[in-house]
Amino acid sequence: MTAYATEAPTAWTAACPSARLRPDDGVAVLLPGGRQAALFRTRTGLYAVDNIDPFTGAAVLSRGIVGDRAGEPTVASPLLKNVFSLRTGLSLDDPAVRLDTWPVHDDGTTVRIGTEGTP
Amino acid sequence: MEELVVIGNGMVGHRLVEALRDRGGDGRWRVTVVGEEPRSAYDRVALSSYFDGATAQDLSLGDLAGPGVRVRVGERATSLDRGARTVTTTGGTLSYDRLVLATGSAPFVPPVPGHDLPGCHVYRTIEDLDAITAAARAGARTGVVVGGGLLGLEAANALRLLGLRAHVVELAPHLMPAQVDEGGGALLAGLVRDLGVQVHTGAASTAVEAGPDGRAARLRLADGTHLDTDLVVFSVGIRPRDELARAAGIAVGERGGVVVDDTCTTSDPRIHAVGEVACHRGTVYGLIAPGNAMAEVLADRLLGGRATFTGADTSTKLKLLGVDVASFGDAHGRTPRCLDVVVNDAATGRYAKLVLSDDASTLLGGVLVGDAAAYASLRPLVGSPIPGHPLALIAPQGEPVGADALPDTAQVCSCNAVTKGDLVRAIGEGCHDVPALKACTRAGTSCGSCVPVLKRLLDKEGIAQSKALCEHFTHSRAELLEIVRATGTTTFSALIDAHGTGTGCDLCKPAVASILASLGNGHILEGEQATLQDTNDRHLANMQRNGTYSVVPRIPGGEITPDRLIVIGEVARDFGLYTKITGGQRIDLFGARLEQLPAIWTRLVEAGFESGHAYGKSLRTVKSCVGTTWCRYGVQDSVGLAIRLEERYRGLRSPHKLKSAVSGCARECAEARSKDFGIIATDHGWNLYVGGNGGFTPRHADLLASDLDEAALIRCIDRFLMFYIRTADRLQRTAAWIEAMDGGLDHLREVVVEDSLGIAADLEAAMDRHVATYTDEWAAVLADPDKLARFQSFANAPDTPDPTIAFTTTRDQPVPVGLGMPSLRTREDAR
Ligand SMILES: Cc1cc2nc3c(=O)[nH]c(=O)nc-3n(C[C@H](O)[C@H](O)[C@H](O)COP(=O)(O)OP(=O)(O)OC[C@H]3O[C@@H](n4cnc5c(N)ncnc54)[C@H](O)[C@@H]3O)c2cc1C
């Protein structure tokens, strides 16, 4: 299962065992180079977006509530409740704001985030 | 700035100053209010509730004093010098540019022999009521009220509440002659007699005779009979207090009252009169609504406006001795050739009369006794064509009149003179619910009888009072709770699959999580439930701006031993936490990283602490003062009660947070009246207040029940809380819930105290279940590796703390450095 990605990445970072990533329950993942991803499994797929909420600067998006707005899969920041598309990273409150996204792969044992050749 | 002197700090004088301030008049007038009573203005209309547990403080209308306003209580104006433009008072001399007479009226005492004996009373001020109470406590057994009008009946009820045998003596052939007609009066007399009050109509009092102790002992009647009594209350009418004006040569009316024109100005253009002292077009109004209307007009005029007072509606609706009485418009049928339609049902104790124009097409007025529910919709119809058959309007199962039937000029709220047109305009400007309409028009804020009409207007203006939780559910929170309860649903997925659409969001998920928790579905982090929880509930701590958490252990009632206090200090020190005392009498430890929470709580749980639920929409704290434990003034054990209440309701999930406090005496040091449920000790037990809050729109709680013993108190709170949990909207505090409720506080009291819906036993059982199944949420997390796994910084690096979190030191404590928010850095950081 591969989620939204524009280019095939050349390196993958192991995020967690597959069983650890439960539906609608995000986790934070430390990426090489010090960035952080918020990783989710929802009814519609696997998503990794920047863990830092651009409206507050805090690394908290993995702790947000997952759901949908008119069918678009979303996460709401736990701080000021700004909502982002999990697919595109776009803010639904301010179209000028966008989270970076990464491709995700789950081979049934390990969930991995594609980190090279992408943002 | 010009000097405005207001004589009289009663209800209307108070309203005038408020109205000036609301209009921004504080820059133009320097206001001095002189009031003869020993306290600032209070709600005289609600005076009788003083016998029902309300205190002088409950009745107070609030303090006017502030920038540009001085209030001098306990000071009487004794004369005016119009030439010098000064007022002499018992405290000195004041100069004015404009003067307002708001001196109200005084009870009229008929000059029968013996009217001034000790034991003869009147019924107008708190001091009058204190004197009656003192007489009753001194051993009086029987009391006679002379006068069977509105106030006389209130006085009779007061005597009854004081434990006296009460008589009412009325000169007219029936009770309440000013408001109701003979038929209504007869039915009313029957209902009043059923309550144990002796009614004597058509009876003239001729003398009060003293007993051997020189106190009033007997009332003589014109027919030669007499009534033996221990005290007499005169309530036969009022006389405007126009003496200052008279002595100063200002025009007064034939039957008293300072004559004013439509701008509330007297014969001296610098002197105005408002309220019960004013005589407008020959009428002296004895009601609050016209007084308020005059105050608003005068405030407008004083600021250069063009408002006019052209007369007022004298409609009234009251509950007297538990009996609804209402009269409106031409209640007595004085219009030539008018027609009556009457329903007189002695069996159910209802009397209703409509007065119609000669062709039966237009409503002119009416009287309702026993059941005045139709009042709110009928009164604004006065002067308008009636929809349908008149009998249908007052038939027992009569249809409520549609809001469409009202013309724009119809006064929907007569207490505050708000027309349908005003309300429709306010709705158009964005007031989309009852609380917003109340706040912006004042409609419904006094007697509240028009609130049902406000709702119908909102409906009619197409403000679908959308109760839909969000795009995923068309139901309100209360409806979803009923669905969950009826179907036994235990998961969000099952609920949204069966009753909603899509996958949910940050609005419906926490709402459903709270419903599941309120109905007792185990730990809130169990399985799928964990993913529904809002920010703070999700990790059982309060998320702060940098993504760290604060931790608040429960300290019931704010009572803590030194040893436990030391444990909190040690934990804070060992984990480097910023420490602050909260407003709820506990201690908040800030700056804990997600992954530190389990270790912090391990220490706290070991020392016997439990979760304080500072993170939950649930009971927060029950504050207390030290009460009889230490305080010289305490009359009850407030700390003990606060602890028992906090331990009873801890962990109870609700539509919004719940705060409480217990004060051990009327000094109210625990600030209980700013809480969702506040308890104040009395000599006899506890008074329960509900619906208070601080925050954005602070509000004092209202008295729900008085002098309860602890068992009755707990029963009341159980029912109140469960009823709130079952019926409130998402994130609706108790105050807004009560405001939006049909029938408001009275309805709440009927449900909670009188069990009018027959659900009290069910509500109590639900609370008993909560109490029996409560466990500490944090202890449960520590015992479950599955739940503990949620408290990790990174799934792939659980030992690495989040590198974006950094602290600096301010006043010897760690505070967050705002990463990526340089604009938020303080000067201290830059140094
Ligand atoms: C028990 C009771 C129940 C009532 N119920 C209702 C009801 O249900 N509905 C309704 O519409 N109305 C009701 N009323 C009437 C209502 O209270 C009055 O209409 C209202 O209070 C009038 O306000 P006011 O400011 O004109 O007079 P007041 O409230 O009487 O205020 C006048 C103030 O001026 C002071 N004063 C007088 N002379 C001087 C002076 N020379 N110097 C300084 N101060 C002075 C007085 O001491 C008083 O405090 C009730 C009244 C009572 C007593």
Side-chain angles (χ1 to χ4, degrees):
Chain A
M1 188 164 42
T2 303
Y4 187 79
T6 43
E7 299 163 44
T10 54
W12 294 89
T13 299
C16 62
S18 297
R20 167 82 168 80
L21 189 62
R22 278 174 256 186
D24 291 354
D25 206 358
V27 299
V29 179
L30 193 57
L31 303 178
R35 296 195 61 188
Q36 309 180 19
L39 175 62
F40 300 95
R41 184 196 300 281
T42 75
R43 285 193 195 186
T44 51
L46 292 161
Y47 305 96
V49 299
D50 196 333
N51 193 33
I52 293 184
D53 171 2
F55 291 97
T56 60
V60 293
L61 288 182
S62 63
R63 290 172 253 166
I65 291 181
V66 163
D68 76 277
R69 291 291 155 92
E72 180 74 10
T74 55
V75 62
S77 166
L79 276 169
L80 301 180
K81 312 289 158 98
N82 297 96
V83 177
F84 302 90
S85 161
L86 284 174
R87 227 166 34 84
T88 63
L90 266 177
S91 159
L92 303 196
D93 305 300
D94 178 355
V97 177
R98 182 185 195 127
L99 304 175
D100 286 337
T101 60
W102 292 276
V104 186
H105 181 74
D106 180 359
D107 63 9
T109 315
T110 306
V111 185
R112 291 189 169 80
I113 297 178
T115 45
E116 209 163 284
T118 57
Chain B
M1 279 214 285
E2 291 187 285
E3 296 289 342
L4 179 71
V5 174
V6 179
I7 305 183
N9 184 209
M11 295 189 74
V12 176
H14 181 91
R15 177 63 170 262
L16 171 70
V17 179
E18 251 185 4
L20 265 180
R21 186 180 282 168
D22 285 353
R23 287 175 167 76
D26 28 353
R28 166 114 180 241
W29 294 99
R30 189 155 51 218
V31 182
T32 306
V33 183
V34 181
E36 158 203 76
E37 292 188 65
R39 65 191 80 240
S40 63
Y42 53 91
D43 186 353
R44 206 177 302 286
V45 170
L47 189 62
S48 294
S49 64
Y50 195 62
F51 288 116
D52 233 348
T55 61
Q57 200 193 346
D58 295 336
L59 291 174
S60 167
L61 295 177
D63 195 1
L64 285 175
V69 180
R70 282 185 302 165
V71 180
R72 298 165 57 150
V73 298
E75 185 170 326
R76 189 160 53 85
T78 50
S79 65
L80 307 181
D81 182 338
R82 295 202 282 142
R85 298 216 298 267
T86 57
V87 187
T88 306
T89 75
T90 48
T93 301
L94 294 164
S95 298
Y96 65 84
D97 295 300
R98 294 289 186 93
L99 180 74
V100 180
L101 299 169
T103 48
S105 52
F108 171 64
V109 177
V112 295
H115 68 269
D116 49 1
L117 285 173
C120 287
H121 299 263
V122 293
Y123 197 84
R124 174 113 196 145
T125 65
I126 289 183
E127 282 63 36
D128 295 338
L129 269 54
D130 282 338
I132 293 172
T133 308
R137 296 240 165 105
R141 317 277 285 289
T142 306
V144 174
V145 178
V146 179
L150 153 66
L151 296 186
L153 292 179
E154 283 202 21
N157 192 38
L159 296 182
R160 220 178 112 237
L161 292 173
L162 288 168
L164 271 62
R165 209 162 335 107
H167 294 263
V168 172
V169 176
E170 168 58 49
L171 182 62
H174 62 89
L175 292 178
M176 285 188 75
Q179 284 84 12
V180 309
D181 60 351
E182 180 135 23
L187 187 100
L188 181 62
L191 296 172
V192 169
R193 284 196 182 103
D194 287 348
L195 293 165
V197 175
Q198 304 301 309
V199 178
H200 314 264
T201 51
S205 312
T206 51
V208 182
E209 292 172 2
D213 59 355
R215 297 179 59 85
R218 175 172 285 188
L219 181 74
R220 287 235 166 252
L221 302 177
D223 64 1
T225 61
H226 67 261
L227 295 168
D228 286 326
T229 185
D230 302 307
L231 63 92
V232 177
V233 180
F234 286 106
S235 180
V236 298
I238 51 174
R239 291 287 177 273
R241 295 194 53 181
D242 54 15
E243 61 271 11
L244 285 173
R246 261 176 214 278
I250 298 169
V252 293
E254 237 170 77
R255 278 173 296 147
V258 181
V259 173
V260 294
D261 61 14
D262 289 359
T263 70
C264 300
T265 306
T266 69
S267 57
D268 179 332
R270 289 186 175 273
I271 301 183
H272 307 274
V274 287
E276 283 190 348
V277 72
C279 174
H280 175 260
R281 300 190 186 175
T283 303
V284 174
Y285 292 98
L287 293 170
I288 189 59
N292 281 343
M294 290 183 213
E296 295 286 342
V297 166
L298 180 56
D300 181 73
R301 287 273 166 180
L302 287 171
L303 296 173
R306 321 245 1 111
T308 54
F309 177 80
T310 54
D313 188 4
T314 53
S315 304
T316 34
K317 173 180 177 229
L318 355 123
K319 207 179 189 104
L320 275 172
L321 298 109
V323 181
D324 276 342
V325 180
S327 78
F328 51 96
D330 181 10
H332 293 275
R334 301 217 164 95
T335 311
R337 289 192 310 285
C338 62
L339 306 172
D340 285 357
V341 177
V342 178
V343 173
N344 191 353
D345 185 350
T348 60
R350 284 178 79 253
Y351 174 91
K353 176 176 85 171
L354 294 184
V355 179
L356 305 171
S357 60
D358 55 358
D359 60 353
S361 69
T362 306
L363 181 65
L364 300 176
V367 176
L368 305 167
V369 179
D371 173 4
Y375 173 77
S377 40
L378 289 175
R379 192 196 44 73
L381 262 187
V382 170
S384 310
I386 46 170
H389 191 280
L391 205 51
L393 300 176
I394 49 174
Q397 276 89 36
E399 286 290 296
V401 182
D404 325 15
L406 301 179
D408 269 3
T409 51
Q411 225 176 55
V412 171
C413 172
S414 62
C415 298
N416 296 289
V418 185
T419 63
K420 177 182 162 192
D422 298 335
L423 288 162
V424 170
R425 212 166 313 118
I427 294 171
E429 285 162 9
C431 297
H432 284 176
D433 54 25
V434 171
L437 267 184
K438 281 183 172 178
C440 112
T441 64
R442 276 178 181 255
T445 54
S446 302
C447 79
S449 69
C450 63
V451 170
V453 181
L454 302 188
K455 285 202 178 138
R456 265 176 264 144
L457 273 177
L458 282 163
D459 283 345
K460 198 202 132 232
E461 290 304 303
I463 311 296
Q465 292 276 14
S466 173
K467 295 173 294 165
L469 214 47
C470 64
E471 65 178 83
H472 304 103
F473 287 98
T474 56
H475 315 81
S476 68
R477 179 191 170 278
E479 288 165 347
L480 277 183
L481 184 139
E482 287 312 318
I483 291 174
V484 172
R485 216 152 69 94
T487 59
T489 307
T490 57
T491 66
F492 178 81
S493 322
L495 187 67
I496 197 166
D497 287 347
H499 301 279
T501 55
T503 60
C505 65
D506 55 312
L507 301 177
C508 58
K509 282 185 168 181
V512 172
S514 157
I515 289 172
L516 291 173
S518 290
L519 295 178
N521 281 279
H523 200 284
I524 67 163
L525 299 186
E526 196 62 53
E528 184 200 65
Q529 273 195 63
T531 69
L532 311 177
Q533 304 300 340
D534 211 350
T535 310
N536 297 339
D537 276 318
R538 202 176 176 94
H539 290 101
L540 308 183
N542 293 48
M543 187 184 279
Q544 302 299 330
R545 59 185 312 154
N546 63 347
T548 62
Y549 291 89
S550 77
V551 170
V552 184
R554 187 169 296 291
I555 302 178
E559 186 187 71
I560 187 163
T561 62
D563 283 337
R564 289 179 145 220
L565 196 54
I566 288 167
V567 170
I568 293 182
E570 285 173 346
V571 168
R573 184 194 58 210
D574 296 352
F575 289 87
L577 304 176
Y578 169 98
T579 306
K580 192 170 189 305
I581 310 291
T582 74
Q585 300 186 338
R586 40 198 200 168
I587 300 170
D588 207 341
L589 311 177
F590 290 79
R593 299 166 195 275
L594 177 64
E595 67 275 17
Q596 289 178 314
L597 291 172
I600 291 171
W601 273 104
T602 301
R603 294 267 300 268
L604 292 171
V605 167
E606 256 168 28
F609 285 105
E610 294 186 346
S611 165
H613 292 100
Y615 47 80
K617 301 290 179 247
S618 55
L619 180 81
R620 296 286 170 85
T621 80
V622 183
K623 271 174 77 162
S624 68
C625 67
V626 289
T628 45
T629 317
W630 289 96
C631 178
R632 285 181 287 147
Y633 303 109
V635 296
Q636 304 280 353
D637 174 18
S638 46
V639 185
L641 180 69
I643 293 173
R644 286 190 291 280
L645 293 179
E646 186 158 343
E647 290 183 340
R648 183 168 181 81
Y649 303 119
R650 66 189 162 180
L652 180 68
R653 289 296 199 288
S654 47
H656 208 305
K657 62 186 170 189
L658 285 168
K659 297 187 173 186
S660 179
V662 182
S663 278
C665 79
R667 284 178 179 73
E668 238 286 71
C669 297
E671 298 166 333
R673 288 197 64 197
S674 61
K675 303 300 179 190
D676 295 282
F677 59 105
I679 297 104
I680 302 177
T682 69
D683 291 340
H684 313 288
W686 305 99
N687 281 358
L688 173 60
Y689 295 80
V690 295
N693 54 244
F696 194 56
T697 35
R699 190 181 179 288
H700 260 163
D702 293 313
L703 183 68
L704 186 72
S706 42
D707 286 335
L708 302 168
D709 61 27
E710 185 168 328
L713 173 74
I714 286 180
R715 225 165 27 239
C716 264
I717 303 175
D718 280 4
R719 296 173 183 181
F720 166 75
L721 291 177
M722 270 298 160
F723 189 47
Y724 167 62
I725 287 171
R726 290 210 179 153
T727 61
D729 275 336
R730 187 182 82 89
L731 299 187
Q732 187 176 40
R733 284 293 289 270
T734 53
W737 171 65
I738 298 169
E739 284 238 319
M741 190 181 291
D742 255 330
L745 186 69
D746 286 339
H747 176 66
L748 180 65
R749 189 176 293 118
E750 283 163 16
V751 174
V752 170
V753 183
E754 294 152 28
D755 192 17
S756 61
L757 299 181
I759 57 171
D762 186 36
L763 298 174
E764 287 172 31
M767 189 62 83
D768 285 340
R769 265 195 309 281
H770 162 76
V771 174
T773 55
Y774 165 84
T775 50
D776 174 32
E777 270 166 13
W778 261 108
V781 167
L782 298 178
D784 180 351
D786 231 35
K787 296 192 181 78
L788 277 174
R790 310 178 47 75
F791 296 85
Q792 286 181 347
S793 54
F794 297 105
N796 60 342
D799 299 324
T800 309
D802 175 357
T804 68
I805 296 173
F807 296 98
T808 178
T809 301
T810 296
R811 291 180 297 276
D812 302 327
Q813 295 215 71
V815 295
V817 174
L819 196 100
M821 293 185 289
S823 58
L824 288 178
R825 290 213 180 162
T826 61
R827 264 201 327 236
E828 248 149 348
D829 295 334
R831 262 195 268 142

